[in-house]
Amino acid sequence: MTRIFISYRRDDAGGYSLLIFDRLVNHFGRGRVFMDIDTIEPGVDFVDIIEKAVGSCDSLIALIGKQWLDMSDETGERRLDTPEDFVRLEIAAALERNIRVIPVLVRGAKMPSSDELPEPLKPLARRHAVELSDERIHYDLKRLVDVLQRSRQRTEEQPRSWLDRLERVTTAEHERVVPSPPATRPSTVPPRPTRLLFEPDTVEIPAGPFLAGEDKAEVGLPAFAIGHHPVKVIEFRAFVQSGGYSTPQFWTKAGWNWKEGTLRREPDYWGDGIWTDNEWLPVVGISWYEAYAYCRWLADKTGWTYRLPTTLEWEKAARGTDGRLYPWGNIPKAGLCNTYSAGIGHTTQTGAYSPGGDSPYGLTDMIGNVAEWCSTKWRKNSVLPPNDDPEGPAVRVLCGGSWSAVQIPPVYYHHRASPDTSYN
């Protein structure tokens, strides 16, 4: 069965990698397409891990943009000339094992010559390339699929690799479905041994009581996991580019009617560089309807139960168990979050105030930067059992304040807004 590895640089052709990944998964299946090994444990030989991962595949796609050949590291050295460079290691491993390597050129990039490549990659120059043109992207992607379809098949007698075993763990136990909104709330996605490029990393919050609300009432919660950072531009871009705005199953009925009535196809401020030029900025201009649809889409793409947090889950993740008023303690210290007093006037890259401003669980930007939607319908007493029914136009809760917050809000403070509201 065909197995495909996608090699790319995020700063060179990251957006195209998502398009290719999505198209190949739709054709070959989730367990047949691999990329972005970014969870290698400390002390592990990453060269060995990459060689095993690439060696388990039949084909490798080398995604090449205009900067691919000449990108340099922080010392000014060209990345391809560094033996430890991941892209170099991935392609070299495939070439050495005689795995089919298909260069895919994007953004008008030209195929590098042999003289321009380091010694282990020189054979790449003799590989016939596939070009992806923005003007005929769907036709070119179909050609790429057809090429891969003709790739040689691995026999069942070959030994199963490390990556095969990992695949069985992550796919056999979790079916790729979008569950209907349940009567009881499921646990959110636990920390993952591997994840997709556009999939947020998560932090587990253990089960047990915490002191909630302004009055610090003791409330017990089961274990759950929550995003380490606010959702980033690069993560939400995958939702936009892969049809999230044109698939009714991801939306509530009220949300779909609102989206269709407004002809909305992307967030507010999506074309404004101050909010989106840096892919690691938190995404802005998102209504509650879009936040909900994004989580449903993410569940569909990954097979894991992603959803918006309840206000109580958000609050525990932000303050821990001891009733502190802010993620870092009980004093509203300047310099630990991006609010109005910081004088920046817009969002900052996620994690810019780490670790000083982090919550007890290591979560970033729980106060300031961007306000964060919760699933819960707004009510004055936030400690009452939350109403998280997703249907209808009810007012919802925002937590954490943003870069424009005049004062540093305590973690129990809840802002309310209509689900069709979006801010920068």
Side-chain angles (χ1 to χ4, degrees), residues 36-279:
D36 204 43
I37 299 177
D38 60 355
T39 53
I40 299 175
E41 293 293 330
V44 174
D45 188 336
F46 64 86
V47 175
D48 183 55
I49 294 296
I50 289 174
E51 288 180 345
K52 286 179 178 178
V54 173
S56 72
C57 294
D58 306 290
S59 301
L60 180 140
I61 292 174
L63 198 54
I64 299 175
K66 286 187 175 181
Q67 304 177 70
W68 182 87
L69 188 64
D70 299 318
M71 289 186 74
S72 58
D73 59 21
E74 61 276 4
T75 68
E77 184 176 4
R78 192 175 70 152
R79 291 188 187 181
L80 286 179
D81 292 328
T82 306
E84 294 81 13
D85 177 62
F86 275 25
V87 167
R88 170 173 165 158
L89 286 167
E90 290 162 358
I91 298 174
L95 293 170
E96 183 179 352
R97 287 160 177 75
N98 200 30
I99 292 169
R100 185 170 192 175
V101 177
I102 304 172
V104 174
L105 308 178
V106 299
R107 295 176 177 160
K110 304 299 182 184
M111 191 64 196
S113 67
S114 176
D115 292 340
E116 295 174 304
L117 295 169
E119 190 63 35
L121 302 190
K122 287 186 181 297
L124 179 66
R126 301 195 297 270
R127 297 316 194 261
H128 183 67
V130 174
E131 296 184 37
L132 292 189
S133 165
D134 290 344
E135 291 76 19
R136 55 179 192 183
I137 187 70
H138 296 295
Y139 170 78
D140 290 339
L141 286 172
K142 183 179 184 303
R143 276 204 312 137
L144 178 60
V145 169
D146 291 342
V147 169
L148 290 165
Q149 187 67 51
R150 296 192 296 267
S151 294
R152 68 181 181 87
Q153 306 292 303
R154 280 192 177 268
T155 64
E156 291 298 324
E157 290 74 26
Q158 288 178 295
R160 295 183 66 82
S161 69
W162 164 83
L163 200 57
D164 284 303
R165 295 194 298 274
L166 180 62
E167 173 203 338
R168 286 192 292 173
V169 170
T170 59
T171 61
E173 297 177 2
H174 302 275
E175 296 180 359
R176 184 177 178 274
V177 297
V178 183
S180 299
T184 57
R185 303 211 42 94
S187 174
T188 50
V189 56
R192 296 282 298 279
T194 62
R195 58 187 174 87
L196 308 180
L197 168 64
F198 55 81
E199 186 179 0
D201 62 322
T202 59
V203 174
E204 186 169 5
I205 310 301
F210 79 108
L211 301 180
E214 186 174 6
D215 297 331
K216 300 183 180 180
E218 186 171 279
V219 175
L221 291 177
F224 63 96
I226 193 167
H228 187 190
H229 309 279
V231 174
K232 303 170 188 172
V233 170
I234 190 172
E235 293 162 349
F236 201 85
R237 190 180 301 282
F239 171 75
V240 175
Q241 292 181 343
S242 68
Y245 280 87
S246 58
T247 309
Q249 73 185 91
F250 302 140
W251 297 73
T252 65
K253 182 178 180 180
W256 183 258
N257 290 338
W258 165 79
K259 184 195 72 67
E260 290 294 278
T262 58
L263 302 179
R264 193 170 178 89
R265 295 295 180 266
E266 60 187 29
D268 288 334
Y269 314 100
W270 195 240
D272 191 336
I274 194 172
W275 311 109
T276 59
D277 273 359
N278 183 335
E279 298 275 28

Side-chain angles (χ1 to χ4, degrees), residues 76 83 227 355 367 413:
I367 297 295
Y413 175 77

Side-chain angles (χ1 to χ4, degrees), residues 339-366:
T339 54
Y340 182 81
S341 61
I344 297 172
H346 53 77
T347 52
T348 48
Q349 184 168 314
T350 56
Y353 288 85
S354 293
D358 291 353
S359 84
Y361 299 107
L363 304 178
T364 73
D365 300 312
M366 297 300 279

